[in-house]
Amino acid sequence: MMRILPLLLLLAACGPIVQVGGNTPPPDALLTLRATATGSAPAGPVTLANALQVEVPMVPGTLQTTRVAVTVADTRVQYLPKANWAEQPNRQFARLLGDTLSANGVVVLDARAGGPRAGRVLGGELAEFGLDMRRGTPTVRVRYDAVLVGGGRTATRRFEASAPAAGDSGNAVAIALNQAANALAADVAAWVKGG
């Protein structure tokens, strides 16, 4: 015990091993996504078999952050300064997707509630979600590779949406990404209802 105490004191004098937040100033506001679809009641009887669970999609390493990704070249990604999401974009996208599906008459069960498991599961990968500056004009791009499992079968489909951004500020990019994500979510809802 006596040998460990000096070592612990030495480590404590070194300061924090991990610095959370770095030296960058915090953003003025955090960015969020919101579903714009309006609601309708489910058609037909509600059963666990036709209910759906929306999983948080996987993301590539460039999107495993709360920073806003900016594609500047085919092999280079930067991050928008002074712009941060309230939480990782894939979690916000999953909620937006669930809200849009619910508004389109699909029964969506929340997996976090710990209740019974839905008969169908929607998962996949949010492969793109950010600002694209490769062509010089600010354009947001969203790409979701969806996987729908249920009823003894698996279906896959790629969904893509883009929208022009009014600029490269965090607010302008968030507004455009919200628009593109909602358009994409409407396409996913139509696909899920049809299949």
Side-chain angles (χ1 to χ4, degrees):
M1 181 68 172
M2 293 305 283
R3 291 181 195 161
I4 296 175
L5 187 59
L7 183 59
L8 290 175
L9 289 172
L10 181 64
L11 281 175
C14 292
I17 296 173
V18 176
Q19 182 175 356
V20 178
N23 294 325
T24 60
D28 295 333
L30 297 176
L31 308 174
T32 62
L33 297 176
R34 295 279 185 251
T36 57
T38 55
S40 68
V46 175
T47 65
L48 284 177
N50 65 12
L52 180 73
Q53 176 183 321
V54 177
E55 293 185 339
V56 175
M58 298 179 295
V59 287
T62 55
L63 295 178
Q64 290 179 355
T65 181
T66 57
R67 298 184 299 169
V68 179
V70 181
T71 304
V72 293
D74 289 343
T75 58
R76 205 168 99 216
V77 173
Q78 295 177 343
Y79 293 95
L80 209 56
K82 297 186 180 180
N84 283 66
W85 294 108
E87 64 180 326
Q88 282 187 245
N90 58 332
R91 294 185 178 284
Q92 291 193 62
F93 178 76
R95 265 194 307 283
L96 181 143
L97 195 52
D99 290 346
T100 303
L101 286 158
S102 293
N104 281 275
V106 177
V107 177
V108 178
L109 298 182
D110 188 348
R112 297 170 300 169
R117 187 145 174 92
R120 299 181 301 161
V121 177
L122 177 64
E125 180 183 18
L126 186 61
E128 279 187 85
F129 195 85
L131 181 63
D132 188 343
M133 292 296 292
R134 287 177 290 187
R135 289 170 187 81
T137 56
T139 304
V140 297
R141 299 199 187 285
V142 180
R143 189 176 89 212
Y144 176 55
D145 296 323
V147 179
L148 180 61
V149 178
R153 64 187 195 114
T154 300
T156 61
R157 184 165 165 195
R158 174 170 286 176
F159 295 90
E160 295 179 289
S162 62
D168 60 1
S169 71
N171 192 46
V173 171
I175 289 169
L177 276 169
N178 198 68
Q179 177 187 347
N182 273 283
L184 187 146
D187 291 343
V188 173
W191 176 64
V192 167
K193 286 181 73 172

